[in-house]
Amino acid sequence: MKIAVFGARGKVGAVVVAALADAGHDVVEIDVGDSVALEGCEAAVDFTQPDAVEGDVAACVRAGVPCVVGTTNFDREAVDGMAREQGVPVFHAPNFAVGAVLMVRFASEAAKHLPQAEIIELHHHTKVDAPSGTAKATAEAMGGEVEIHSVRLPGLVAHQEVILGGQGQTLTIRHDTTSRDAFVPGVLLALERVRELPPGLTVGLETLL
Ligand code: NAP
């Protein structure tokens, strides 16, 4: 497939570009200052920054190119609206690591029995948004009223702890992304499946598993 990668020189984008090339895809690399050449692309991936997503998706849907968005904390309503209007599917996962998807599922189950909980999410110091998209999705899956603490430090990649407290006990569910390679299988799966999705925005890796 010919696939465009927005944010190709970023930390995640560079890993995705290498993985797509290894899998035999023809990759169009797009980063700040590059022209947006989508001719002939069958799909696109975006790992940029929240305020860039709308423009990138607008270019994709105008060109009829289905798009997989990895960037977190963008305006989902706006993106869904433009994708529906142009009749093009767009897919977003707040976290493409399967372990993180399982963490959200386990936390949602645990919250039924231990309703008091807090989330600590820890990321590299260059991450621009807080709290993380995964932490927000976890809190939502747990019923909403869950406090989130954000830590930003060099040396970290992406980590999250969900701590649930009950009478005389605590339960901790923890996920660690030790390398950005963790996102690759999820991104490849989304790229394979995005064209079959309905027009508009579909959210969550769990919808594809
Ligand atoms: P990063 O290293 O800052 O990379 C972002 C790259 O995108 C930079 O090279 C940036 O260029 C470029 N860029 C910005 N606006 C652009 C545009 N309009 N068109 C093309 N390129 C553009 O960040 P990262 O760590 O790779 O993370 C990127 C995003 O992915 C963040 O929102 C992060 O939260 C998210 N993320 C999601 C997952 C997931 O599983 N869903 C996993 C990890 C990260 P400049 O540096 O020149 O601005």
Side-chain angles (χ1 to χ4, degrees):
M1 268 204 284
K2 186 173 175 184
I3 300 170
V5 179
F6 290 91
R9 290 192 286 277
K11 288 183 284 299
V12 180
V15 171
V16 169
V17 166
L20 289 174
D22 280 353
H25 295 291
D26 181 6
V27 184
V28 178
E29 299 183 29
I30 304 170
D31 211 289
V32 170
D34 298 338
S35 65
V36 180
L38 296 173
E39 296 80 29
C41 288
E42 289 166 77
V45 194
D46 181 289
F47 276 95
T48 57
Q49 56 192 46
D51 61 3
V53 173
E54 271 178 67
D56 296 345
V57 172
C60 288
V61 297
R62 264 200 312 270
V65 178
C67 187
V68 170
V69 180
T71 309
T72 47
N73 286 322
F74 62 93
D75 184 341
R76 290 186 186 181
E77 227 169 277
V79 164
D80 183 45
M82 66 174 90
R84 276 173 199 272
E85 210 171 286
Q86 300 287 336
V88 177
V90 175
F91 176 81
H92 168 63
N95 201 316
F96 279 97
V98 71
V101 175
L102 292 172
M103 170 181 60
V104 175
R105 188 184 293 174
F106 299 156
S108 139
E109 182 60 28
K112 292 178 194 158
H113 307 283
L114 295 166
Q116 263 175 280
E118 301 204 2
I119 295 171
I120 307 172
E121 58 94 346
L122 311 92
H123 283 83
H124 54 93
H125 63 303
T126 58
K127 180 170 173 63
V128 290
D129 55 309
S132 72
T134 301
K136 287 204 258 183
T138 311
E140 211 176 292
M142 294 171 74
E145 299 295 309
V146 183
E147 192 163 343
I148 303 171
H149 310 272
S150 299
V151 178
R152 297 287 175 267
L153 284 173
L156 295 167
V157 180
H159 318 259
Q160 180 170 295
E161 258 184 37
V162 182
I163 308 171
L164 302 105
Q167 216 174 348
Q169 61 185 319
T170 64
L171 169 65
T172 301
I173 302 167
R174 181 175 173 111
H175 178 254
D176 295 284
T177 306
T178 50
S179 148
R180 292 183 175 85
D181 291 336
F183 307 122
V184 168
V187 172
L188 293 180
L189 174 69
L191 281 166
E192 269 168 36
R193 302 278 300 280
V194 66
R195 284 167 301 164
E196 304 157 12
L197 295 174
L201 180 66
T202 301
V203 177
L205 195 62
E206 61 282 2
T207 63
L208 305 182
L209 294 173

